[in-house]
Amino acid sequence: MHVSHWEQKLIASVIFGITYILISGRQLKILPLNRPAAALLGAVLMVSCGVMTPERAYRAVNFDTIVLLLAMMLISAYLCLAHFFDWAAHAVLRFSRTPGRLLLYLTLTSGILSALLVNNMICLMLTPLVIAVIRRGKLPMLPYLIALATSANIGSAATLVGNPQNMIIGHYSHIGFSRFSVALLPPAIIGLAINFIILRAGFRKILKEAVVEGEAHAIPTLDYSLFAIVCVVFVLIFACFVAGLNLAWTALAGAVLVMVLARRDTHEVLKLVDWHLLVFFAALFVVVDGLSDTGLPDAIYSRLQPVFGSHVVTQAWNLAWFSVAGSNIFSNVPFVLVAGKWITRFAEPELMWKVLALATTFAGHLTIIGSVANMIVVESAREHLEVSFWDYARFGIPITILTTVAGVAVLLLLR
């Protein structure tokens, strides 16, 4: 099917708009499609309407990101089978003597694990366990659910494997794993501190009246042999990351090595992989590339370029706030896929890649729908607690503003 350039632009824009509405407007009920199915619909429309050829659609998929996500999910699955997440959640409760200390330990646990593994997987694994622990401890649930989600977002900014948008940025920017972490780790640490202070102050009265109970319960048994295998391989993977080897295939090689050494039924492991998320990202690459091929994102940037300014500091701050807004309007991954094509035109591209990574990650705190991690936590807790938009936003908004300001300031100081 042949279409003119202007028709192609119009069709691609309409398909992108329809896909975005279906992805973000879960309450609209236009079609009974979840996020992966909506992205698949958009990908198929891009090809069937002549915007892209099937061969171009295949090339659009960033398989390095897909493979890296798959590998980190497999490693998380083995940690789950070793009962590590269960063990860690209950250990945190046992060693917490006060509700405030429990909030601190949960913030650190969620943030650190999300830096090492994918934040969405951490929230998926930890939320049911945290709910069980909080109920057993007879504690208020809201402070800890918000801490779990926000800390997972903040901690994930520290490494190229912490969240999907960082993986995409790592692929397109060619920034080394070590160089990225050296720059982003300080903002992540400061962000976790800001996050804890805001939540501790905001829930001061509730936490002061609460008492940690249920400490006498035994901590679930950790499968030490499987845990040791995963830890050793994990250290080897990160050593290879630091050495500059390919992130995706290094991680996948490590995951397969765990498969071989663990001697477990792999069906059990593969069931724990979030295949929906992998399909979602693969299809999304096609949709966004279909839009990019029309030249529309370049045209938009040409109009926006004067807004960003010409000085490095001005560009960094303007890109940060633009990214926060764009991530909440279009969702962070689609926004990174489009905005990433502009970065080479900035004064200091490497710095701007880091600003983009930080801002699109910290933007996830703004509202409940700001990140997949937030939605996983809120949806998982729905049977026990209904978290309203304002329940989250009254903490998410100040956390987003303060962590972003502090993070960009640190990046500019360390450049």
Side-chain angles (χ1 to χ4, degrees), residues 103-115 119 122-123 144-157 188 191-192 195-196 199 362 365 374 392 399:
L103 186 70
L104 173 62
Y105 290 166
L106 179 59
T107 298
L108 292 174
T109 301
S110 178
I112 292 170
L113 289 177
S114 293
N119 62 343
I122 294 302
C123 288
Y144 301 101
L145 291 178
I146 294 178
L148 174 60
T150 54
S151 301
N153 285 326
I154 294 170
S156 73
L192 287 173
N195 187 47
F196 172 72
L199 293 177
F362 288 1
H365 318 315
N374 296 347
Y392 187 93
I399 289 170

PDB file of all heavy atoms in Angstrom, residues 103-115 119 122-123 144-157 188 191-192 195-196 199 362 365 374 392 399:
ATOM      1  N   LEU A 103      10.107   2.073  58.013  1.00  0.00           N
ATOM      2  CA  LEU A 103       9.973   2.900  56.807  1.00  0.00           C
ATOM      3  C   LEU A 103      11.344   3.132  56.178  1.00  0.00           C
ATOM      4  O   LEU A 103      11.492   3.056  54.951  1.00  0.00           O
ATOM      5  CB  LEU A 103       9.318   4.239  57.157  1.00  0.00           C
ATOM      6  CG  LEU A 103       8.989   5.165  55.972  1.00  0.00           C
ATOM      7  CD1 LEU A 103       7.840   4.596  55.153  1.00  0.00           C
ATOM      8  CD2 LEU A 103       8.638   6.571  56.467  1.00  0.00           C
ATOM      9  N   LEU A 104      12.349   3.396  57.006  1.00  0.00           N
ATOM     10  CA  LEU A 104      13.708   3.617  56.513  1.00  0.00           C
ATOM     11  C   LEU A 104      14.261   2.357  55.854  1.00  0.00           C
ATOM     12  O   LEU A 104      14.817   2.416  54.747  1.00  0.00           O
ATOM     13  CB  LEU A 104      14.618   4.044  57.667  1.00  0.00           C
ATOM     14  CG  LEU A 104      16.115   4.160  57.332  1.00  0.00           C
ATOM     15  CD1 LEU A 104      16.344   5.231  56.270  1.00  0.00           C
ATOM     16  CD2 LEU A 104      16.925   4.462  58.591  1.00  0.00           C
ATOM     17  N   TYR A 105      14.110   1.212  56.522  1.00  0.00           N
ATOM     18  CA  TYR A 105      14.639  -0.046  55.985  1.00  0.00           C
ATOM     19  C   TYR A 105      13.954  -0.430  54.676  1.00  0.00           C
ATOM     20  O   TYR A 105      14.597  -0.936  53.756  1.00  0.00           O
ATOM     21  CB  TYR A 105      14.471  -1.174  57.007  1.00  0.00           C
ATOM     22  CG  TYR A 105      15.357  -1.048  58.223  1.00  0.00           C
ATOM     23  CD1 TYR A 105      15.130  -1.818  59.350  1.00  0.00           C
ATOM     24  CD2 TYR A 105      16.425  -0.159  58.244  1.00  0.00           C
ATOM     25  CE1 TYR A 105      15.944  -1.706  60.483  1.00  0.00           C
ATOM     26  CE2 TYR A 105      17.235  -0.045  59.357  1.00  0.00           C
ATOM     27  CZ  TYR A 105      16.995  -0.815  60.477  1.00  0.00           C
ATOM     28  OH  TYR A 105      17.788  -0.708  61.580  1.00  0.00           O
ATOM     29  N   LEU A 106      12.638  -0.188  54.608  1.00  0.00           N
ATOM     30  CA  LEU A 106      11.907  -0.505  53.379  1.00  0.00           C
ATOM     31  C   LEU A 106      12.358   0.402  52.240  1.00  0.00           C
ATOM     32  O   LEU A 106      12.526  -0.044  51.094  1.00  0.00           O
ATOM     33  CB  LEU A 106      10.400  -0.365  53.602  1.00  0.00           C
ATOM     34  CG  LEU A 106       9.510  -0.654  52.387  1.00  0.00           C
ATOM     35  CD1 LEU A 106       9.723  -2.083  51.879  1.00  0.00           C
ATOM     36  CD2 LEU A 106       8.041  -0.440  52.734  1.00  0.00           C
ATOM     37  N   THR A 107      12.577   1.680  52.544  1.00  0.00           N
ATOM     38  CA  THR A 107      13.068   2.633  51.542  1.00  0.00           C
ATOM     39  C   THR A 107      14.410   2.182  50.983  1.00  0.00           C
ATOM     40  O   THR A 107      14.626   2.177  49.763  1.00  0.00           O
ATOM     41  CB  THR A 107      13.209   4.041  52.171  1.00  0.00           C
ATOM     42  OG1 THR A 107      11.923   4.498  52.604  1.00  0.00           O
ATOM     43  CG2 THR A 107      13.780   5.036  51.166  1.00  0.00           C
ATOM     44  N   LEU A 108      15.321   1.787  51.868  1.00  0.00           N
ATOM     45  CA  LEU A 108      16.655   1.353  51.442  1.00  0.00           C
ATOM     46  C   LEU A 108      16.593   0.037  50.673  1.00  0.00           C
ATOM     47  O   LEU A 108      17.256  -0.125  49.643  1.00  0.00           O
ATOM     48  CB  LEU A 108      17.563   1.202  52.665  1.00  0.00           C
ATOM     49  CG  LEU A 108      17.927   2.499  53.398  1.00  0.00           C
ATOM     50  CD1 LEU A 108      18.716   2.192  54.668  1.00  0.00           C
ATOM     51  CD2 LEU A 108      18.714   3.429  52.486  1.00  0.00           C
ATOM     52  N   THR A 109      15.784  -0.913  51.175  1.00  0.00           N
ATOM     53  CA  THR A 109      15.677  -2.222  50.521  1.00  0.00           C
ATOM     54  C   THR A 109      15.127  -2.083  49.108  1.00  0.00           C
ATOM     55  O   THR A 109      15.681  -2.637  48.149  1.00  0.00           O
ATOM     56  CB  THR A 109      14.768  -3.168  51.335  1.00  0.00           C
ATOM     57  OG1 THR A 109      15.305  -3.330  52.643  1.00  0.00           O
ATOM     58  CG2 THR A 109      14.656  -4.529  50.665  1.00  0.00           C
ATOM     59  N   SER A 110      14.032  -1.338  48.974  1.00  0.00           N
ATOM     60  CA  SER A 110      13.411  -1.149  47.662  1.00  0.00           C
ATOM     61  C   SER A 110      14.344  -0.402  46.722  1.00  0.00           C
ATOM     62  O   SER A 110      14.494  -0.767  45.544  1.00  0.00           O
ATOM     63  CB  SER A 110      12.095  -0.378  47.828  1.00  0.00           C
ATOM     64  OG  SER A 110      11.488  -0.146  46.580  1.00  0.00           O
ATOM     65  N   GLY A 111      15.014   0.629  47.228  1.00  0.00           N
ATOM     66  CA  GLY A 111      15.901   1.429  46.384  1.00  0.00           C
ATOM     67  C   GLY A 111      17.114   0.658  45.912  1.00  0.00           C
ATOM     68  O   GLY A 111      17.471   0.699  44.735  1.00  0.00           O
ATOM     69  N   ILE A 112      17.748  -0.079  46.819  1.00  0.00           N
ATOM     70  CA  ILE A 112      18.961  -0.837  46.472  1.00  0.00           C
ATOM     71  C   ILE A 112      18.638  -1.967  45.501  1.00  0.00           C
ATOM     72  O   ILE A 112      19.327  -2.165  44.495  1.00  0.00           O
ATOM     73  CB  ILE A 112      19.630  -1.389  47.751  1.00  0.00           C
ATOM     74  CG1 ILE A 112      20.193  -0.235  48.582  1.00  0.00           C
ATOM     75  CG2 ILE A 112      20.744  -2.373  47.386  1.00  0.00           C
ATOM     76  CD1 ILE A 112      20.659  -0.641  49.964  1.00  0.00           C
ATOM     77  N   LEU A 113      17.577  -2.731  45.778  1.00  0.00           N
ATOM     78  CA  LEU A 113      17.213  -3.846  44.905  1.00  0.00           C
ATOM     79  C   LEU A 113      16.820  -3.356  43.514  1.00  0.00           C
ATOM     80  O   LEU A 113      17.124  -3.996  42.510  1.00  0.00           O
ATOM     81  CB  LEU A 113      16.067  -4.657  45.515  1.00  0.00           C
ATOM     82  CG  LEU A 113      16.410  -5.506  46.746  1.00  0.00           C
ATOM     83  CD1 LEU A 113      15.168  -6.200  47.280  1.00  0.00           C
ATOM     84  CD2 LEU A 113      17.484  -6.543  46.405  1.00  0.00           C
ATOM     85  N   SER A 114      16.172  -2.196  43.448  1.00  0.00           N
ATOM     86  CA  SER A 114      15.754  -1.658  42.153  1.00  0.00           C
ATOM     87  C   SER A 114      16.939  -1.165  41.329  1.00  0.00           C
ATOM     88  O   SER A 114      16.864  -1.139  40.102  1.00  0.00           O
ATOM     89  CB  SER A 114      14.751  -0.519  42.343  1.00  0.00           C
ATOM     90  OG  SER A 114      13.538  -1.024  42.879  1.00  0.00           O
ATOM     91  N   ALA A 115      18.017  -0.768  42.000  1.00  0.00           N
ATOM     92  CA  ALA A 115      19.216  -0.369  41.269  1.00  0.00           C
ATOM     93  C   ALA A 115      19.903  -1.585  40.647  1.00  0.00           C
ATOM     94  O   ALA A 115      20.520  -1.482  39.584  1.00  0.00           O
ATOM     95  CB  ALA A 115      20.192   0.352  42.206  1.00  0.00           C
ATOM     96  N   ASN A 119      13.110  -2.230  38.348  1.00  0.00           N
ATOM     97  CA  ASN A 119      12.216  -1.734  39.398  1.00  0.00           C
ATOM     98  C   ASN A 119      10.817  -2.341  39.333  1.00  0.00           C
ATOM     99  O   ASN A 119      10.195  -2.616  40.367  1.00  0.00           O
ATOM    100  CB  ASN A 119      12.135  -0.203  39.373  1.00  0.00           C
ATOM    101  CG  ASN A 119      11.577   0.358  38.081  1.00  0.00           C
ATOM    102  OD1 ASN A 119      11.518  -0.322  37.049  1.00  0.00           O
ATOM    103  ND2 ASN A 119      11.166   1.617  38.117  1.00  0.00           N
ATOM    104  N   ILE A 122      10.891  -5.680  40.999  1.00  0.00           N
ATOM    105  CA  ILE A 122      11.020  -5.550  42.451  1.00  0.00           C
ATOM    106  C   ILE A 122       9.655  -5.257  43.076  1.00  0.00           C
ATOM    107  O   ILE A 122       9.277  -5.856  44.090  1.00  0.00           O
ATOM    108  CB  ILE A 122      12.025  -4.433  42.805  1.00  0.00           C
ATOM    109  CG1 ILE A 122      13.432  -4.821  42.359  1.00  0.00           C
ATOM    110  CG2 ILE A 122      12.007  -4.140  44.303  1.00  0.00           C
ATOM    111  CD1 ILE A 122      13.957  -6.112  42.946  1.00  0.00           C
ATOM    112  N   CYS A 123       8.907  -4.344  42.468  1.00  0.00           N
ATOM    113  CA  CYS A 123       7.575  -4.008  42.986  1.00  0.00           C
ATOM    114  C   CYS A 123       6.631  -5.204  42.863  1.00  0.00           C
ATOM    115  O   CYS A 123       5.819  -5.461  43.756  1.00  0.00           O
ATOM    116  CB  CYS A 123       7.006  -2.802  42.246  1.00  0.00           C
ATOM    117  SG  CYS A 123       7.825  -1.256  42.679  1.00  0.00           S
ATOM    118  N   TYR A 144       3.923   2.784  53.798  1.00  0.00           N
ATOM    119  CA  TYR A 144       4.870   1.786  53.323  1.00  0.00           C
ATOM    120  C   TYR A 144       4.661   1.450  51.843  1.00  0.00           C
ATOM    121  O   TYR A 144       5.623   1.162  51.134  1.00  0.00           O
ATOM    122  CB  TYR A 144       4.772   0.533  54.202  1.00  0.00           C
ATOM    123  CG  TYR A 144       5.055   0.852  55.650  1.00  0.00           C
ATOM    124  CD1 TYR A 144       4.019   0.997  56.571  1.00  0.00           C
ATOM    125  CD2 TYR A 144       6.355   1.066  56.085  1.00  0.00           C
ATOM    126  CE1 TYR A 144       4.278   1.325  57.898  1.00  0.00           C
ATOM    127  CE2 TYR A 144       6.632   1.384  57.404  1.00  0.00           C
ATOM    128  CZ  TYR A 144       5.583   1.526  58.313  1.00  0.00           C
ATOM    129  OH  TYR A 144       5.849   1.853  59.617  1.00  0.00           O
ATOM    130  N   LEU A 145       3.422   1.502  51.394  1.00  0.00           N
ATOM    131  CA  LEU A 145       3.163   1.271  49.966  1.00  0.00           C
ATOM    132  C   LEU A 145       3.752   2.400  49.124  1.00  0.00           C
ATOM    133  O   LEU A 145       4.382   2.149  48.083  1.00  0.00           O
ATOM    134  CB  LEU A 145       1.658   1.160  49.706  1.00  0.00           C
ATOM    135  CG  LEU A 145       0.954  -0.080  50.262  1.00  0.00           C
ATOM    136  CD1 LEU A 145      -0.538  -0.011  49.962  1.00  0.00           C
ATOM    137  CD2 LEU A 145       1.546  -1.354  49.676  1.00  0.00           C
ATOM    138  N   ILE A 146       3.555   3.637  49.567  1.00  0.00           N
ATOM    139  CA  ILE A 146       4.121   4.772  48.836  1.00  0.00           C
ATOM    140  C   ILE A 146       5.641   4.713  48.881  1.00  0.00           C
ATOM    141  O   ILE A 146       6.322   4.967  47.870  1.00  0.00           O
ATOM    142  CB  ILE A 146       3.608   6.113  49.419  1.00  0.00           C
ATOM    143  CG1 ILE A 146       2.096   6.242  49.178  1.00  0.00           C
ATOM    144  CG2 ILE A 146       4.343   7.288  48.782  1.00  0.00           C
ATOM    145  CD1 ILE A 146       1.486   7.508  49.744  1.00  0.00           C
ATOM    146  N   ALA A 147       6.206   4.355  50.034  1.00  0.00           N
ATOM    147  CA  ALA A 147       7.671   4.247  50.159  1.00  0.00           C
ATOM    148  C   ALA A 147       8.224   3.186  49.216  1.00  0.00           C
ATOM    149  O   ALA A 147       9.274   3.381  48.590  1.00  0.00           O
ATOM    150  CB  ALA A 147       8.041   3.919  51.606  1.00  0.00           C
ATOM    151  N   LEU A 148       7.524   2.061  49.103  1.00  0.00           N
ATOM    152  CA  LEU A 148       7.964   0.979  48.219  1.00  0.00           C
ATOM    153  C   LEU A 148       8.015   1.452  46.773  1.00  0.00           C
ATOM    154  O   LEU A 148       9.010   1.243  46.062  1.00  0.00           O
ATOM    155  CB  LEU A 148       7.018  -0.213  48.354  1.00  0.00           C
ATOM    156  CG  LEU A 148       7.246  -1.394  47.397  1.00  0.00           C
ATOM    157  CD1 LEU A 148       8.633  -1.980  47.578  1.00  0.00           C
ATOM    158  CD2 LEU A 148       6.173  -2.462  47.603  1.00  0.00           C
ATOM    159  N   ALA A 149       6.952   2.115  46.320  1.00  0.00           N
ATOM    160  CA  ALA A 149       6.868   2.552  44.918  1.00  0.00           C
ATOM    161  C   ALA A 149       7.866   3.668  44.609  1.00  0.00           C
ATOM    162  O   ALA A 149       8.619   3.593  43.631  1.00  0.00           O
ATOM    163  CB  ALA A 149       5.451   3.016  44.599  1.00  0.00           C
ATOM    164  N   THR A 150       7.887   4.706  45.445  1.00  0.00           N
ATOM    165  CA  THR A 150       8.765   5.846  45.171  1.00  0.00           C
ATOM    166  C   THR A 150      10.242   5.461  45.287  1.00  0.00           C
ATOM    167  O   THR A 150      11.075   5.908  44.497  1.00  0.00           O
ATOM    168  CB  THR A 150       8.453   7.023  46.116  1.00  0.00           C
ATOM    169  OG1 THR A 150       8.503   6.566  47.484  1.00  0.00           O
ATOM    170  CG2 THR A 150       7.081   7.602  45.833  1.00  0.00           C
ATOM    171  N   SER A 151      10.565   4.632  46.260  1.00  0.00           N
ATOM    172  CA  SER A 151      11.967   4.218  46.439  1.00  0.00           C
ATOM    173  C   SER A 151      12.431   3.340  45.283  1.00  0.00           C
ATOM    174  O   SER A 151      13.588   3.412  44.864  1.00  0.00           O
ATOM    175  CB  SER A 151      12.135   3.461  47.766  1.00  0.00           C
ATOM    176  OG  SER A 151      11.755   4.274  48.848  1.00  0.00           O
ATOM    177  N   ALA A 152      11.536   2.503  44.775  1.00  0.00           N
ATOM    178  CA  ALA A 152      11.876   1.668  43.617  1.00  0.00           C
ATOM    179  C   ALA A 152      12.181   2.538  42.408  1.00  0.00           C
ATOM    180  O   ALA A 152      13.125   2.282  41.657  1.00  0.00           O
ATOM    181  CB  ALA A 152      10.735   0.703  43.306  1.00  0.00           C
ATOM    182  N   ASN A 153      11.386   3.597  42.219  1.00  0.00           N
ATOM    183  CA  ASN A 153      11.640   4.512  41.105  1.00  0.00           C
ATOM    184  C   ASN A 153      12.980   5.218  41.277  1.00  0.00           C
ATOM    185  O   ASN A 153      13.794   5.273  40.351  1.00  0.00           O
ATOM    186  CB  ASN A 153      10.528   5.559  41.011  1.00  0.00           C
ATOM    187  CG  ASN A 153       9.243   4.999  40.422  1.00  0.00           C
ATOM    188  OD1 ASN A 153       9.278   4.141  39.562  1.00  0.00           O
ATOM    189  ND2 ASN A 153       8.113   5.483  40.895  1.00  0.00           N
ATOM    190  N   ILE A 154      13.216   5.773  42.468  1.00  0.00           N
ATOM    191  CA  ILE A 154      14.438   6.549  42.706  1.00  0.00           C
ATOM    192  C   ILE A 154      15.678   5.673  42.604  1.00  0.00           C
ATOM    193  O   ILE A 154      16.652   6.019  41.928  1.00  0.00           O
ATOM    194  CB  ILE A 154      14.374   7.227  44.096  1.00  0.00           C
ATOM    195  CG1 ILE A 154      13.262   8.285  44.124  1.00  0.00           C
ATOM    196  CG2 ILE A 154      15.722   7.879  44.426  1.00  0.00           C
ATOM    197  CD1 ILE A 154      12.973   8.840  45.501  1.00  0.00           C
ATOM    198  N   GLY A 155      15.656   4.524  43.257  1.00  0.00           N
ATOM    199  CA  GLY A 155      16.814   3.637  43.237  1.00  0.00           C
ATOM    200  C   GLY A 155      17.161   3.146  41.847  1.00  0.00           C
ATOM    201  O   GLY A 155      18.339   2.974  41.500  1.00  0.00           O
ATOM    202  N   SER A 156      16.134   2.950  41.026  1.00  0.00           N
ATOM    203  CA  SER A 156      16.362   2.417  39.672  1.00  0.00           C
ATOM    204  C   SER A 156      17.137   3.376  38.784  1.00  0.00           C
ATOM    205  O   SER A 156      17.700   2.978  37.762  1.00  0.00           O
ATOM    206  CB  SER A 156      15.020   2.070  39.012  1.00  0.00           C
ATOM    207  OG  SER A 156      14.314   3.245  38.643  1.00  0.00           O
ATOM    208  N   ALA A 157      17.183   4.657  39.161  1.00  0.00           N
ATOM    209  CA  ALA A 157      17.893   5.650  38.344  1.00  0.00           C
ATOM    210  C   ALA A 157      19.405   5.461  38.394  1.00  0.00           C
ATOM    211  O   ALA A 157      20.128   5.960  37.529  1.00  0.00           O
ATOM    212  CB  ALA A 157      17.544   7.063  38.818  1.00  0.00           C
ATOM    213  N   ALA A 188      20.668   9.482  43.094  1.00  0.00           N
ATOM    214  CA  ALA A 188      19.753   8.457  43.594  1.00  0.00           C
ATOM    215  C   ALA A 188      19.805   8.370  45.118  1.00  0.00           C
ATOM    216  O   ALA A 188      18.770   8.252  45.788  1.00  0.00           O
ATOM    217  CB  ALA A 188      20.097   7.103  42.975  1.00  0.00           C
ATOM    218  N   GLY A 191      18.178  11.383  46.482  1.00  0.00           N
ATOM    219  CA  GLY A 191      16.742  11.235  46.239  1.00  0.00           C
ATOM    220  C   GLY A 191      16.076  10.327  47.256  1.00  0.00           C
ATOM    221  O   GLY A 191      14.969  10.625  47.745  1.00  0.00           O
ATOM    222  N   LEU A 192      16.728   9.220  47.600  1.00  0.00           N
ATOM    223  CA  LEU A 192      16.177   8.314  48.618  1.00  0.00           C
ATOM    224  C   LEU A 192      16.095   9.010  49.977  1.00  0.00           C
ATOM    225  O   LEU A 192      15.136   8.803  50.730  1.00  0.00           O
ATOM    226  CB  LEU A 192      17.032   7.048  48.723  1.00  0.00           C
ATOM    227  CG  LEU A 192      16.921   6.048  47.570  1.00  0.00           C
ATOM    228  CD1 LEU A 192      17.953   4.937  47.723  1.00  0.00           C
ATOM    229  CD2 LEU A 192      15.516   5.449  47.493  1.00  0.00           C
ATOM    230  N   ASN A 195      13.192  11.401  49.813  1.00  0.00           N
ATOM    231  CA  ASN A 195      11.968  10.601  49.826  1.00  0.00           C
ATOM    232  C   ASN A 195      11.613  10.181  51.255  1.00  0.00           C
ATOM    233  O   ASN A 195      10.466  10.324  51.694  1.00  0.00           O
ATOM    234  CB  ASN A 195      12.178   9.368  48.947  1.00  0.00           C
ATOM    235  CG  ASN A 195      10.917   8.552  48.754  1.00  0.00           C
ATOM    236  OD1 ASN A 195       9.863   9.102  48.469  1.00  0.00           O
ATOM    237  ND2 ASN A 195      11.016   7.242  48.908  1.00  0.00           N
ATOM    238  N   PHE A 196      12.606   9.664  51.980  1.00  0.00           N
ATOM    239  CA  PHE A 196      12.359   9.217  53.360  1.00  0.00           C
ATOM    240  C   PHE A 196      11.954  10.389  54.256  1.00  0.00           C
ATOM    241  O   PHE A 196      11.003  10.272  55.050  1.00  0.00           O
ATOM    242  CB  PHE A 196      13.615   8.546  53.929  1.00  0.00           C
ATOM    243  CG  PHE A 196      13.506   8.221  55.394  1.00  0.00           C
ATOM    244  CD1 PHE A 196      12.683   7.196  55.832  1.00  0.00           C
ATOM    245  CD2 PHE A 196      14.196   8.980  56.332  1.00  0.00           C
ATOM    246  CE1 PHE A 196      12.555   6.903  57.190  1.00  0.00           C
ATOM    247  CE2 PHE A 196      14.076   8.698  57.691  1.00  0.00           C
ATOM    248  CZ  PHE A 196      13.249   7.657  58.115  1.00  0.00           C
ATOM    249  N   LEU A 199       8.287  11.462  53.480  1.00  0.00           N
ATOM    250  CA  LEU A 199       7.312  10.475  53.953  1.00  0.00           C
ATOM    251  C   LEU A 199       7.304  10.404  55.480  1.00  0.00           C
ATOM    252  O   LEU A 199       6.240  10.279  56.091  1.00  0.00           O
ATOM    253  CB  LEU A 199       7.621   9.098  53.359  1.00  0.00           C
ATOM    254  CG  LEU A 199       7.431   8.965  51.846  1.00  0.00           C
ATOM    255  CD1 LEU A 199       7.848   7.580  51.370  1.00  0.00           C
ATOM    256  CD2 LEU A 199       5.980   9.234  51.454  1.00  0.00           C
ATOM    257  N   PHE A 362      12.532  10.015  37.819  1.00  0.00           N
ATOM    258  CA  PHE A 362      11.950  10.724  38.966  1.00  0.00           C
ATOM    259  C   PHE A 362      10.553  11.264  38.662  1.00  0.00           C
ATOM    260  O   PHE A 362       9.766  11.515  39.563  1.00  0.00           O
ATOM    261  CB  PHE A 362      12.867  11.867  39.404  1.00  0.00           C
ATOM    262  CG  PHE A 362      14.132  11.404  40.097  1.00  0.00           C
ATOM    263  CD1 PHE A 362      14.398  10.053  40.265  1.00  0.00           C
ATOM    264  CD2 PHE A 362      15.051  12.320  40.584  1.00  0.00           C
ATOM    265  CE1 PHE A 362      15.553   9.620  40.902  1.00  0.00           C
ATOM    266  CE2 PHE A 362      16.215  11.896  41.221  1.00  0.00           C
ATOM    267  CZ  PHE A 362      16.467  10.542  41.381  1.00  0.00           C
ATOM    268  N   HIS A 365       7.154   9.661  40.110  1.00  0.00           N
ATOM    269  CA  HIS A 365       6.529   9.870  41.426  1.00  0.00           C
ATOM    270  C   HIS A 365       5.324  10.800  41.373  1.00  0.00           C
ATOM    271  O   HIS A 365       4.547  10.848  42.326  1.00  0.00           O
ATOM    272  CB  HIS A 365       7.510  10.521  42.423  1.00  0.00           C
ATOM    273  CG  HIS A 365       8.881   9.987  42.375  1.00  0.00           C
ATOM    274  ND1 HIS A 365       9.160   8.644  42.323  1.00  0.00           N
ATOM    275  CD2 HIS A 365      10.071  10.624  42.382  1.00  0.00           C
ATOM    276  CE1 HIS A 365      10.468   8.485  42.299  1.00  0.00           C
ATOM    277  NE2 HIS A 365      11.042   9.663  42.317  1.00  0.00           N
ATOM    278  N   ASN A 374       4.443   2.208  40.173  1.00  0.00           N
ATOM    279  CA  ASN A 374       3.354   2.740  41.013  1.00  0.00           C
ATOM    280  C   ASN A 374       2.080   1.922  40.842  1.00  0.00           C
ATOM    281  O   ASN A 374       1.412   1.556  41.814  1.00  0.00           O
ATOM    282  CB  ASN A 374       3.040   4.190  40.647  1.00  0.00           C
ATOM    283  CG  ASN A 374       4.185   5.131  40.903  1.00  0.00           C
ATOM    284  OD1 ASN A 374       5.153   4.784  41.567  1.00  0.00           O
ATOM    285  ND2 ASN A 374       4.077   6.334  40.378  1.00  0.00           N
ATOM    286  N   TYR A 392      -1.788   9.643  46.880  1.00  0.00           N
ATOM    287  CA  TYR A 392      -0.436   9.491  46.346  1.00  0.00           C
ATOM    288  C   TYR A 392       0.160  10.843  45.949  1.00  0.00           C
ATOM    289  O   TYR A 392       1.302  11.148  46.285  1.00  0.00           O
ATOM    290  CB  TYR A 392      -0.455   8.554  45.134  1.00  0.00           C
ATOM    291  CG  TYR A 392       0.930   8.223  44.632  1.00  0.00           C
ATOM    292  CD1 TYR A 392       1.603   7.095  45.063  1.00  0.00           C
ATOM    293  CD2 TYR A 392       1.584   9.079  43.737  1.00  0.00           C
ATOM    294  CE1 TYR A 392       2.882   6.805  44.625  1.00  0.00           C
ATOM    295  CE2 TYR A 392       2.858   8.799  43.292  1.00  0.00           C
ATOM    296  CZ  TYR A 392       3.501   7.665  43.735  1.00  0.00           C
ATOM    297  OH  TYR A 392       4.770   7.398  43.311  1.00  0.00           O
ATOM    298  N   ILE A 399       7.878  15.127  46.226  1.00  0.00           N
ATOM    299  CA  ILE A 399       9.016  14.216  46.040  1.00  0.00           C
ATOM    300  C   ILE A 399       9.598  14.392  44.639  1.00  0.00           C
ATOM    301  O   ILE A 399      10.819  14.465  44.457  1.00  0.00           O
ATOM    302  CB  ILE A 399       8.591  12.749  46.279  1.00  0.00           C
ATOM    303  CG1 ILE A 399       8.333  12.508  47.760  1.00  0.00           C
ATOM    304  CG2 ILE A 399       9.677  11.785  45.787  1.00  0.00           C
ATOM    305  CD1 ILE A 399       7.687  11.164  48.067  1.00  0.00           C
TER     306      ILE A 399
END
